[in-house]
């Protein structure tokens, strides 16, 4: 049984019981990834390491070589 079939089964069961339908598969994927990223950054700060990773530093180097400003964060 794949995720869609399980979702349909759970939706049917919830409707029969008068409960709210479960969220569709993949609805909170991006939110979960953002929370994981924030947790890793927080763990790095607690460990005394920089909160930014190698991709952030590589992007900053590339922008500086191209003569572009780094985007400012709000």
């Amino acid at each position: 049984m794949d995720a869609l079939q399980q979702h349909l089964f759970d939706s049917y069961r919830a409707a029969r019981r008068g409960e709210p339908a479960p969220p569709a598969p993949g609805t909170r994927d991006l939110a979960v990834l953002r929370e994981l990223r924030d947790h890793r950054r927080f763990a790095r700060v607690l460990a005394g390491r920089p909160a930014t990773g190698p991709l952030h530093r590589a992007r900053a180097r590339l922008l500086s070589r191209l003569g572009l400003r780094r985007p400012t964060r709000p």
Side-chain angles (χ1 to χ4, degrees), residues 4-21:
L4 179 60
Q5 291 170 341
Q6 182 67 44
H7 174 68
L8 292 173
F9 181 70
D10 291 340
S11 297
Y12 172 76
R13 184 177 7 180
R16 299 276 294 176
R17 293 180 178 175
E19 299 170 353

Side-chain angles (χ1 to χ4, degrees):
M1 182 179 303
D2 63 3
L4 179 60
Q5 291 170 341
Q6 182 67 44
H7 174 68
L8 292 173
F9 181 70
D10 291 340
S11 297
Y12 172 76
R13 184 177 7 180
R16 299 276 294 176
R17 293 180 178 175
E19 299 170 353
T27 301
R28 293 208 8 104
D29 286 354
L30 288 178
V32 169
L33 290 175
R34 286 186 191 110
E35 289 174 14
L36 177 64
R37 180 195 64 198
D38 291 344
H39 176 72
R40 286 183 167 178
R41 284 181 178 174
F42 182 68
R44 283 182 166 166
V45 169
L46 290 179
R49 297 188 310 244
T52 57
L55 290 176
H56 179 79
R57 289 190 299 270
R59 180 178 62 98
R61 274 194 314 268
L62 177 65
L63 289 176
S64 68
R65 287 181 186 163
L66 293 175
L68 302 172
R69 289 186 323 149
R70 283 183 55 188
T72 59
R73 291 192 164 192

